[in-house]
Amino acid sequence: MSLRSISLYWISGTSALALASAAHAATPAPAVAAEADANAAPAVEQVVVTAERRATDLQKTAIAISAFSQQLLKDRKVDSIRDLSGQIPNFSISRVTISHTTQTYALRGVGESDPIQEPVLAVYVDDVYIPRQIGSMVEFNDLERVEVLRGPQGTLYGRNSSAGALRIITRDPGDAFRAKAEVGLGNYGAVDVRGLIEGPLVEGKLAGSLSYIHHSRDGVTFDPTLNHDVNRIDLDAYRGKLRWTPTDRLDVLLTLNALKDRSDSRSYVPVKQPNGEHRTDRSYSEVEPKQDLDQISGALRVQYTLNDNLKLKSVTSYGGFNLNPVNYDNDGEAALIQKNLIHYNDQYVTQEVQLNGDYGKLTFTSGLFYLHERFFVQRDGYSRRNALPTDPVATPGNYGFARAHNITNTEAYAVFGEATYALNDRLSVTGGLRWTNEEKEFTFDNKALNLQGQVTGQSIAGQADKIFSAVTPKLSAQFQWTGDVLQYVTWSKGFKSGGFDNRATRLDLATRPFAPENVDTYETGLKTELFDHRARVNLAAFYNDYKDLQVAYTDPAYPGNSVRGNAGKAHTYGVELETDVRATERLSLQATAGYLFAVYDKYKNAGGLGVDADGHRLLNSPRWSLSGAITYDVPIKVPGEVRIGLNAQYQTKTYYNALQRPQDEAPAQTFLNGTVTWQTPDPRWSVQLSGRNLLDSDKPITVTYTPSTAVYYQNFPDPRTWLVTLKYAL
């Protein structure tokens, strides 16, 4: 089916559904139509979000937000951030990455594909900022809500977030006793266990909860070189919460998290395979894909109601991870071309204090934020120089060996605030401002190695530091055309701090800082509810102007070296549509559409001296991204109730290198997931059959092509998988 056909089908289907809903609403029900009443369409689920640091209706919040409620996540069997791939317009969540708990993102065309660099999308778990993309792929248990805020959010949140913010909100313990357990078994030896217990410890004063996740699965790719399956999953996660509410004004929450990930690092599928064949389920890497990640964090949240108008909130956190080792082969072939043996260690402390006010016509959020982070990298890299497919067997003379050993210390301070004033019952204006000050200290001690990994000499060593500051404003106006139609227009500036190139191999490049990245965002949006609140239709249009884009390129002053710097200028614009319709009591439908135009205005020497990428598409930015979902309560005569759900995602071709060569392209593709849930007559028990990638798509979803080292590999989605889950909830 062509893109045009898919688009017309989606539009016509939505229009027909809207007309059917309107006709249904306009037709009076017969006096004795009990069956008709049973099939009458209720209102769509009202979603409450806390994007503006206070509870507001999604439809009254003047920000482009995608919100997933607890029930919606349950119906779609969304168990992790990665399960949301393709379900949010213009938001690319990589379906596979270098490790299971590492996640990369691109929102509205801009992201950070290198997981060891600072992200442009801020990830928060229960108001705690996660500073690295390593460890940011969160598995869900007892989730209350997921919110994705598009556009710069620096005037509302502690950390800079020039592309947007992803918020994961889990349930806080209360006075009611609850317990739940889920046990799932599936193909490829999948085992999924999730459990929770929650309840009061001191009635009305103290409550607690404990959560546990075990997720494991055998490998889905066979490696003949190692003679076993690879790309396994093996993860255990724990969360404990203790909530103290001594008075109506004071609410104190202590949260502890721990994670152990022993999944494989990703094994790539090389394009060049023995005997001229190309199988998507084969990797020939000679490196054992070992990964040991231990992650721990703790947070103390204190909320105090000063009076009827003012609330004070403090969030203190400490956390980090130790990823040692993470070993992977960066070519997928049974030859030593690119091999990496890595140790990452990250430790961070954050402190955020908010004062939130509500005086009727005037509401505001203000805050102070502090971050200290120490990010340690030790990377032993082995790479063949100037290798070509016709090269003879490599010898030590045409190899390069090096150990990158560096530490980045960050001290960040920020003052931020945003206020909204209602000029009348319909028109409100918002103003926000943020001041950010960040000091980066970069210490490096790189060594030369031999084939056995022994140090043979000093490469570079030194230290550098730099302070980066910025003031980023926001202006917005909102107009309530009717009780169900809100329009807003917004201008805001975003900022991503500068830093140092932790992949540098020369002293002068290691000590040379790159500048911050800046964006001006212009956006308008329309939020509507139609047909007696049976349909929700939200629309947003945006334009982003990026300056000093942080990219890798070849500096003419340092020929032969790829450096990280500010060679890029880009702009993106697009449209995002999200709809939710309750057609009948039994049937609900959702659909999203994203159109994205994202290009580099200026990107010199992207592929070497004189090889530019001006006018080329930004990475990981498909022109179209569409999704549709259906949930239907099947009217069959069985004990209990049966609900089915289908969710489809489609995106057009995507490039993974700015040079935009045919080898850099991942083709257009479609994914289909589904669930069948049987709720037994006993409401405590249910059984769910879930399936992912039901179409068994085997097209590459990421590609890497490097002619200088003869590296050309692809990443493929996991094959069709199914899971049967027995659930108990008390």
Side-chain angles (χ1 to χ4, degrees):
M1 182 180 290
S2 68
L3 172 61
R4 182 174 183 272
S5 300
I6 291 173
S7 301
L8 290 174
Y9 177 81
W10 181 85
I11 293 170
S12 62
T14 303
S15 301
L17 181 60
L19 290 173
S21 298
H24 185 86
T27 303
V32 291
E35 184 177 348
D37 289 341
N39 291 324
V44 294
E45 181 183 8
Q46 298 303 296
V47 180
V48 174
V49 297
T50 53
E52 295 182 315
R53 299 301 198 179
R54 60 183 186 278
T56 58
D57 188 326
L58 172 69
Q59 296 304 99
K60 306 297 182 184
T61 308
I63 302 173
I65 306 175
S66 296
F68 292 81
S69 66
Q70 188 179 47
Q71 186 61 50
L72 187 63
L73 295 165
K74 179 180 177 182
D75 288 341
R76 298 186 187 179
K77 194 67 169 67
V78 173
D79 289 331
S80 70
I81 288 176
R82 195 165 294 150
D83 291 342
L84 292 171
S85 295
Q87 301 189 42
I88 303 168
N90 292 333
F91 187 26
S92 293
I93 302 174
S94 299
R95 295 179 187 270
V96 296
T97 60
I98 185 60
S99 65
H100 180 69
T101 43
T102 295
Q103 188 62 60
T104 56
Y105 311 90
L107 183 56
R108 291 179 170 176
V110 175
E112 181 53 74
S113 58
D114 187 346
I116 71 171
Q117 307 296 342
E118 290 188 8
V120 295
L121 179 90
V123 177
Y124 294 88
V125 179
D126 292 334
D127 287 331
V128 175
Y129 172 68
I130 309 299
R132 296 284 160 177
Q133 294 184 122
I134 300 171
S136 71
M137 208 300 291
V138 180
E139 295 265 358
F140 300 153
N141 193 26
D142 207 41
L143 197 65
E144 187 171 295
R145 192 172 62 258
V146 174
E147 299 174 5
V148 177
L149 289 68
R150 296 187 282 275
Q153 303 299 328
T155 60
L156 280 172
Y157 290 88
R159 187 62 168 153
N160 285 309
S161 49
S162 58
L166 169 61
R167 302 186 65 230
I168 300 157
I169 301 106
T170 64
R171 179 186 170 94
D172 290 341
D175 283 335
F177 176 79
R178 294 193 320 125
K180 74 170 191 176
E182 301 179 8
V183 178
L185 301 175
N187 60 340
Y188 295 99
V191 177
D192 193 87
V193 178
R194 295 167 197 261
L196 174 106
I197 186 168
E198 170 196 326
L201 302 175
V202 177
E203 193 71 33
K205 301 293 184 182
L206 190 65
S209 64
L210 290 172
S211 165
Y212 172 68
I213 298 172
H214 172 76
H215 181 195
S216 62
R217 189 204 64 199
D218 295 339
V220 295
T221 306
F222 182 67
D223 188 329
T225 308
L226 300 176
N227 196 32
H228 63 73
D229 291 333
V230 292
N231 295 332
R232 299 174 312 108
I233 297 173
D234 184 7
L235 172 143
D236 292 279
Y238 311 81
R239 173 179 291 123
K241 288 190 174 186
L242 193 63
R243 187 181 182 191
W244 181 45
T245 51
T247 70
D248 292 340
R249 292 178 177 270
L250 181 61
D251 188 336
V252 181
L253 179 70
L254 175 65
T255 303
L256 298 175
N257 298 287
L259 173 73
K260 183 179 76 171
D261 184 9
R262 297 297 183 264
S263 308
D264 287 350
S265 57
R266 195 73 188 181
S267 292
Y268 303 130
V269 175
V271 173
K272 180 185 175 183
Q273 296 184 8
N275 303 319
E277 65 179 0
H278 184 265
R279 295 190 54 168
T280 62
D281 61 349
R282 290 289 184 270
S283 177
Y284 294 84
S285 168
E286 80 285 0
V287 178
E288 193 68 45
K290 185 175 177 58
Q291 178 213 244
D292 288 356
L293 172 70
D294 295 304
Q295 186 177 35
I296 191 168
S297 66
L300 180 67
R301 186 195 71 193
V302 181
Q303 299 180 110
Y304 186 73
T305 302
L306 297 172
N307 53 46
D308 292 341
N309 309 109
L310 293 173
K311 292 183 178 180
L312 190 65
K313 184 176 183 179
S314 169
V315 180
T316 307
S317 74
Y318 167 79
F321 62 79
N322 189 56
L323 180 52
N324 183 32
V326 53
N327 301 337
Y328 68 95
D329 183 355
N330 219 20
D331 53 76
E333 297 185 37
L336 182 54
I337 300 175
Q338 286 194 341
K339 174 183 175 182
N340 295 278
L341 311 176
I342 304 174
H343 176 196
Y344 295 131
N345 183 277
D346 189 60
Q347 299 176 46
Y348 64 87
V349 175
T350 68
Q351 174 63 58
E352 184 171 351
V353 179
Q354 304 166 19
L355 179 64
N356 303 316
D358 188 345
Y359 288 89
K361 287 190 172 184
L362 176 67
T363 59
F364 67 86
T365 292
S366 60
L368 305 171
F369 179 75
Y370 168 75
L371 165 71
H372 168 77
E373 184 194 17
R374 178 189 183 275
F375 183 50
F376 166 89
V377 174
Q378 179 171 301
R379 182 176 57 251
D380 291 1
Y382 301 80
S383 61
R384 191 166 69 186
R385 299 190 186 103
N386 303 318
L388 295 173
T390 56
D391 280 354
V393 176
T395 63
N398 64 352
Y399 274 92
F401 312 108
R403 169 173 293 168
H405 183 286
N406 56 69
I407 299 172
T408 302
N409 282 299
T410 300
E411 299 281 344
Y413 306 85
V415 181
F416 60 92
E418 181 176 307
T420 299
Y421 183 75
L423 298 173
N424 53 49
D425 291 342
R426 293 191 174 188
L427 179 63
S428 300
V429 292
T430 298
L433 195 65
R434 177 190 182 89
W435 171 77
T436 301
N437 188 82
E438 297 195 11
E439 181 177 359
K440 298 286 181 66
E441 180 185 82
F442 185 54
T443 304
F444 49 96
D445 182 13
N446 295 0
K447 306 289 187 182
L449 305 177
N450 61 18
L451 258 177
Q452 289 71 42
Q454 298 167 331
V455 174
T456 60
Q458 185 73 46
S459 175
I460 59 172
Q463 185 271 337
D465 58 80
K466 179 74 174 178
I467 295 176
F468 307 94
S469 297
V471 175
T472 48
K474 173 183 177 180
L475 293 174
S476 181
Q478 309 98 47
F479 191 77
Q480 195 79 46
W481 292 96
T482 70
D484 296 324
V485 179
L486 170 71
Q487 185 177 9
Y488 65 89
V489 292
T490 300
W491 166 73
S492 58
K493 291 184 72 71
F495 165 83
K496 180 186 178 185
S497 177
F500 296 89
D501 185 359
N502 57 15
R503 297 188 185 276
T505 57
R506 291 177 48 148
L507 181 62
D508 47 3
L509 293 176
T511 56
R512 187 181 73 166
F514 52 83
E517 183 178 291
N518 297 281
V519 60
D520 282 271
T521 296
Y522 308 86
E523 181 175 325
T524 184
L526 198 64
K527 297 194 170 188
T528 67
E529 287 194 352
L530 309 171
F531 312 123
D532 198 21
H533 301 282
R534 296 174 186 173
R536 177 186 298 127
V537 181
N538 292 341
L539 182 70
F542 64 90
Y543 179 89
N544 290 326
D545 183 14
Y546 279 88
K547 297 180 177 64
D548 293 324
L549 203 65
Q550 296 171 5
V551 292
Y553 70 105
T554 299
D555 190 320
Y558 307 96
N561 288 269
S562 178
V563 301
R564 186 172 179 84
N566 304 92
K569 185 179 186 300
H571 75 277
T572 76
Y573 60 82
V575 179
E576 295 152 352
L577 179 66
E578 296 180 279
T579 66
D580 188 355
V581 179
R582 286 298 299 266
T584 70
E585 175 70 29
R586 296 183 179 277
L587 178 65
S588 66
L589 303 100
Q590 297 88 33
T592 72
Y595 170 79
L596 177 63
F597 184 86
V599 298
Y600 295 104
D601 299 316
K602 176 187 175 184
Y603 190 175
K604 302 298 183 184
N605 304 317
L609 294 179
V611 183
D612 302 335
D614 299 5
H616 289 187
R617 295 257 294 276
L618 290 177
L619 309 186
N620 207 3
S621 57
R623 186 67 55 89
W624 284 96
S625 55
L626 309 175
S627 76
I630 178 172
T631 304
Y632 182 60
D633 293 325
V634 184
I636 59 176
K637 294 182 179 180
V638 298
E641 299 176 352
V642 176
R643 171 173 290 185
I644 61 172
L646 288 173
N647 178 262
Q649 310 108 42
Y650 170 82
Q651 70 177 39
T652 52
K653 67 180 180 181
T654 307
Y655 289 102
Y656 287 90
N657 189 292
L659 299 183
Q660 207 165 301
R661 301 159 297 196
Q663 299 94 329
D664 302 322
E665 176 186 315
Q669 49 198 288
T670 301
F671 292 93
L672 180 66
N673 302 327
T675 60
V676 179
T677 305
W678 175 44
Q679 181 66 58
T680 71
D682 184 339
R684 296 173 297 179
W685 293 93
S686 62
V687 179
Q688 186 175 59
L689 170 65
S690 58
R692 304 195 193 283
N693 192 12
L694 295 177
L695 302 178
D696 207 18
S697 174
D698 61 353
K699 298 177 181 179
I701 51 177
T702 66
V703 294
T704 297
Y705 175 57
T706 311
S708 63
T709 56
V711 168
Y712 187 12
Y713 64 80
Q714 300 167 320
N715 263 317
F716 292 87
D718 289 341
R720 182 190 299 117
T721 58
W722 55 263
L723 190 76
V724 178
T725 305
L726 176 65
K727 301 183 179 183
Y728 175 84
L730 180 64

